[in-house]
Structure formats: C-alpha cells, structure tokens
Amino acid sequence: MDRADLELVLAVRQHGSLAQAARVLQLAPSGVTKRLASLEARLGLRLFQRTTRRVSPTAEGETLCVRAVELLQGFEAAESELREHHQEPAGPIRLAATFGFGRRWLGPALADFQARNARVSVQLQLTEQLPDLAVEGFDGAIWLWSAPGERSAEWIARSLAPNQRVLVAAPAYLALRGAPTCLADLSQHHCLVVRENGGGASQRFDHWRLFSAQDGQTHHVAVRGPLSSNSGEMVRDWCLAGHGIMLRSRWDIAPRLASGELVQVLPEFTMPEADIHWLAPYRAQIPRRIRLLVDFLAQRFREEPWRVRSISAGESPGSHRAR
C-alpha cells in the first residue's frame, strides 16, 4: 500500500462516489474502479459497499481511512520539516514573560537570538499575569512556575533552568536585629513580603514554603512584617535599605550577594517549585524558528549565568569568591 492508495480511499469516502473521487484525483473512472478492486484483493477485505446511489466504507474501510489520515499527516509533517532544514528560519515569535526576569535576563538573550536569525522577529510582552497563551495569540511564555493545573494537559512545558530562591538581608539589618539561626526565629524578624501573581489561586503570601537541604523536608513558615508590595523590585530595595529579610531569586540578587550588599541567612533553606519554564500551547507541528529559540534559551540558561557564591551571615564580604 502506498501514498496514492491512501489518498484514493479517503477521496472515495469523502465524496461517496467513485466517479467524483476520480474527478478530484484527476483519474479516469475506470482507473479508480480498478485500483480500488486491486487494493481490496491484496488486503482480502471489502473496503466499500457499493450501491447505485452511494459508495460507503465498511467497518474495515473506515478503520483504514482513520489510519490513512494519520499517515498522510505524517508524510506532510516530514516533508515540511525537511524543507525547513534547507531554509533560513523566518517569521514572528510572540512571547510573554514576567517583568523582572524578562528585563534582566530574557531581553538580552532574545536580542542575541534575533541577531543570529535576521529573518525572525520577536515580540516580548512583559506581564505579571500568565496569559491564556492560545486565546491571546502567544507562541509561548518564559515563566517562573510550571503550567497551572487546568492547563497542564493543554500546554507543553520544558524546564529551562533551576530558580533557587534564598533568604537574604542587608548587613545593617543583621547588625541591628541579629541573624536568625532557625526557621522559628523568623517570627521575631521583619519579613518583607512580595505579593506577586503567578503562584496560583491558593498561594499564601504570608506563608513561605522552604525546603531544607539537611532533612529533605519542605517546611511552611508563617511570616510577618510591616512592609509588603506587589513589586519585587520595591521589596528588594527595602531589603537593601536594611528594613528586613526577604525571599528572592538568585537571578535577581546575585550581584548584591557577590558584593556583600546582601547576606544570605539560613542558607540551608530555599524555596522549591519556582524554576524557569518554557510554556506553550500544544500544536501538532512546531515551527522551526520556535524550536530553535527554545533550544537557544535552554543552552543560554542551563549554566545559570546569574549564579555566584553567596555571602552568609557571619562571613565577611571580602572572604568570598565567585564561582
């Protein structure tokens, strides 16, 4: 059975007539009749019931037609992919990303990608709310959480990089209030809370989920403090000014940790489940320009270019080395 046979049975099923199938396939009616009879003889099955009014598939013919659709789509996808390999990637890519990571790390990466692929255009929309990607016409999103539960079956997700969130404070704050030595101590400190969207409807901003490298457990800690904001940058500025302890991603504060402007406290604890992901609506065939972009970003962020050795409470700023 070859591709022409599959196209033949689909044309006969669609039009319900050997003569009409012949016109669509630009064949002589007698040729269609002979080819269909020859196919049925080879298979030892009757694929269509013929009456004076209509030709309709048998159960076996319907099964073959279903498989024919799948196989022909596979042929088309393979041909398209082969053509793409001989063509320069071209066309628009529309993306969504969070403000902080989008400005600091994704923007420069996208500029480099576009410079290498001159016929590709990139449109980046920064937002704190994850859009409905398919409905709003996005090719994908670079997001700091995995796909939400209601979308997990509809979207493709790929992890691009770990995103470790750590507890930090300014040396001035620690000099005034002392450094916490255990999680329970956080209740006695001013904790700076970020009320950003994206963690899900059940997210409690005044509860930090912290994973312990020592016992392998995740601990829920209620925190409080006089200052909170929906702006992570505002909370970072408060922390730098010595107003409290915050939980923040390394990609945002790595230079501050390296310089000693911020000091890591309780370094054995980090926040889980906030890795950097590529999210995209499911599509049967992904354009080459998008595949190339995702691979480029995965390579770019795999080594966590923002990661440096942090300074912990009790360590002098001059004693660290970048890694």
Side-chain angles (χ1 to χ4, degrees):
M1 189 183 305
D2 57 23
R3 186 172 182 172
D5 292 330
L6 301 178
E7 292 171 342
L8 173 64
V9 295
L10 287 179
V12 173
R13 183 184 69 165
Q14 180 179 356
H15 298 286
S17 162
L18 296 181
Q20 182 61 24
R23 282 193 290 272
V24 170
L25 297 174
Q26 298 182 337
L27 298 171
S30 60
V32 168
T33 301
K34 290 180 181 178
R35 282 179 53 187
L36 181 59
S38 174
L39 178 60
E40 289 179 325
R42 292 202 309 272
L43 295 175
L45 297 169
R46 179 169 288 277
L47 300 177
F48 292 90
Q49 298 287 355
R50 288 93 155 162
T51 68
T52 55
R53 288 188 165 188
R54 185 166 180 82
V55 178
S56 57
T58 62
E60 293 79 8
E62 184 63 32
T63 298
L64 177 59
C65 286
V66 171
R67 291 289 292 139
V69 170
E70 297 173 355
L71 291 169
L72 288 174
Q73 287 177 342
F75 283 134
E76 293 172 2
E79 290 173 353
S80 177
E81 186 172 345
L82 288 172
R83 284 195 299 270
E84 277 193 336
H85 280 299
H86 293 282
Q87 297 173 350
E88 183 181 358
I93 302 177
R94 188 164 183 251
L95 304 172
T98 54
F99 277 96
F101 189 81
R103 280 196 302 260
R104 193 173 186 88
W105 294 101
L106 180 61
L110 293 178
D112 288 348
F113 175 80
Q114 197 284 322
R116 299 182 188 189
N117 299 275
R119 296 182 62 197
V120 174
S121 63
V122 181
Q123 178 186 342
L124 175 62
Q125 180 169 319
L126 299 180
T127 174
E128 294 301 345
Q129 292 278 7
L130 180 60
D132 187 326
L133 300 175
V135 171
E136 299 187 36
F138 287 97
D139 293 300
I142 293 80
W143 213 250
L144 271 62
W145 294 274
S146 57
E150 67 273 15
R151 298 293 185 190
S152 58
E154 303 172 17
W155 289 359
I156 298 169
R158 177 177 174 180
S159 178
L160 297 179
N163 175 36
Q164 191 181 55
R165 292 188 174 187
V166 295
L167 295 163
V168 296
Y173 175 83
L174 297 176
L176 180 65
R177 301 291 299 270
T181 59
C182 63
L183 287 183
D185 289 349
L186 289 177
S187 64
Q188 306 302 315
H189 284 267
H190 291 170
C191 293
L192 305 170
V193 174
V194 182
R195 298 179 177 274
E196 289 177 326
N197 295 309
S202 62
Q203 183 178 9
R204 288 287 303 274
F205 297 107
D206 57 349
H207 280 66
W208 288 347
R209 295 173 60 250
L210 298 168
F211 174 78
S212 170
Q214 293 181 346
D215 62 17
Q217 301 295 317
T218 299
H219 303 265
H220 294 256
V221 183
V223 296
R224 60 183 181 180
L227 295 171
S228 65
S229 175
N230 69 329
S231 168
E233 293 183 349
M234 177 62 70
V235 169
R236 184 191 63 206
D237 291 345
W238 285 335
C239 189
L240 286 164
H243 293 299
I245 297 172
M246 72 172 175
L247 183 63
R248 198 69 182 154
S249 294
R250 282 189 181 275
W251 60 257
D252 184 43
I253 57 171
R256 312 288 189 173
L257 288 169
S259 68
E261 293 174 89
L262 291 176
V263 174
Q264 190 172 353
V265 300
L266 299 174
E268 67 274 22
F269 292 98
T270 58
M271 181 182 178
E273 299 178 6
D275 290 349
I276 299 159
H277 287 82
W278 163 263
L279 305 177
Y282 174 79
R283 55 206 300 181
Q285 186 175 351
I286 302 173
R288 182 169 176 239
R289 63 185 182 276
I290 296 177
R291 296 198 309 270
L292 290 174
L293 172 64
V294 177
D295 289 342
F296 176 84
L297 295 177
Q299 180 65 35
R300 179 80 164 237
F301 299 139
R302 182 177 298 138
E303 301 301 324
E304 299 176 74
W306 50 83
R307 189 174 177 83
V308 294
R309 185 181 184 278
S310 63
I311 297 175
S312 300
E315 183 181 2
S316 63
S319 64
H320 77 286
R321 295 178 183 173
R323 66 176 182 182

